Amino acid sequence: MDNAFKDVPPTTLADLLGRAQVMDTGIRPLWNSPRVAGPAYTVRCEPGDNLMLHAAIYRAEPGSVIVVESGDVDYALAGGNVCAVAQRRGVAAFVVDGVIRDLGEVREAGFPVFSRGVIPIPGTKKKIGALGEPARVGGVLVHPGDIVVADEEGIVVTPAARREEILAAARTKLAKEAEESLDAWEANHRARIDKALSDQGFTG
């Protein structure tokens, strides 16, 4: 079921779920990675410390998207080796509200990372945070098992309880859009825009 979300663009999910489930624009793909989709494995790291993310790579199920709350952009949460081990263990991607390092290695390995950027200095490994508890990432409260879909268009989180409902609605929406020609879309669009202008008293 979760793999089916790989066929659904974040734009479609955002239309269905609204702004509250879309992460802010500061968390971006660090290289031109393909779309990723999978259940969230949630992590909370203390500022300046990456211990819990490093613990998570050995605990997350294959196919998981490790989602990290850190509140810190001064120290890297992970580097090339951590990303390589996560990839080898089947983790689908990292989505981190923070920064990483060794971007060249990560890009060469082809491991998808969505973050606020890169910095060359690593964090410490001294502070206990949390694994498998709700984490606020990019302004979205993510619960374990929520479906994370991420690509160059952005990152959208589908609540686990709405997974089947949203997937069905997304498939219906995409099928309808695929059947509509650009000419038909333009005609409908123009009619909607003209009505919106008219409703506001615009006559130009």
Side-chain angles (χ1 to χ4, degrees):
M1 177 69 75
D2 298 341
N3 284 342
F5 275 83
K6 273 194 176 179
D7 297 327
V8 183
T11 48
T12 300
L13 293 171
D15 287 347
L16 295 169
L17 289 162
R19 181 66 187 86
Q21 295 304 118
V22 180
M23 291 190 188
D24 71 53
T25 60
I27 303 180
R28 303 294 299 161
L30 292 188
W31 58 277
N32 188 27
S33 59
R35 181 181 302 145
V36 299
Y41 185 91
T42 52
V43 180
R44 291 203 310 267
C45 289
E46 291 297 308
D49 194 277
N50 58 35
L51 176 60
M52 301 313 286
L53 171 54
H54 290 221
I57 67 173
Y58 300 107
R59 290 162 173 79
E61 291 292 326
S64 298
V65 176
I66 292 182
V67 180
V68 186
E69 173 185 337
S70 75
D72 171 47
V73 292
D74 292 320
Y75 297 92
L77 286 161
N81 285 343
V82 169
C83 290
V85 171
Q87 184 179 38
R88 187 163 68 181
R89 295 183 61 82
V91 171
F94 286 171
V95 174
V96 303
D97 202 333
V99 292
I100 70 153
R101 69 179 196 163
D102 302 328
L103 177 55
E105 294 177 31
V106 174
R107 182 172 52 231
E108 185 175 345
F111 183 66
V113 175
F114 298 76
S115 86
R116 294 196 182 275
V118 296
I119 200 165
I121 187 167
T124 60
K125 296 171 183 62
K126 298 178 179 179
K127 299 176 182 177
I128 298 297
L131 298 176
E133 296 182 8
R136 187 164 293 281
V137 181
V140 178
L141 187 62
V142 185
H143 294 82
D146 287 351
I147 305 304
V148 180
V149 177
D151 67 14
E152 64 185 4
E153 294 290 342
I155 306 160
V156 184
V157 181
T158 300
R162 299 187 65 192
R163 178 172 54 195
E164 294 180 13
E165 168 211 341
I166 293 299
L167 182 59
R171 285 174 167 164
T172 298
K173 189 175 192 301
L174 289 167
K176 181 179 178 183
E177 290 170 354
E179 292 173 356
E180 185 177 45
S181 70
L182 182 58
D183 287 344
W185 185 92
E186 181 183 3
N188 290 332
H189 178 255
R190 182 166 186 171
R192 287 200 312 272
I193 297 303
D194 286 348
K195 183 179 187 305
L197 291 169
S198 177
D199 287 349
Q200 297 300 319
F202 184 83
T203 58

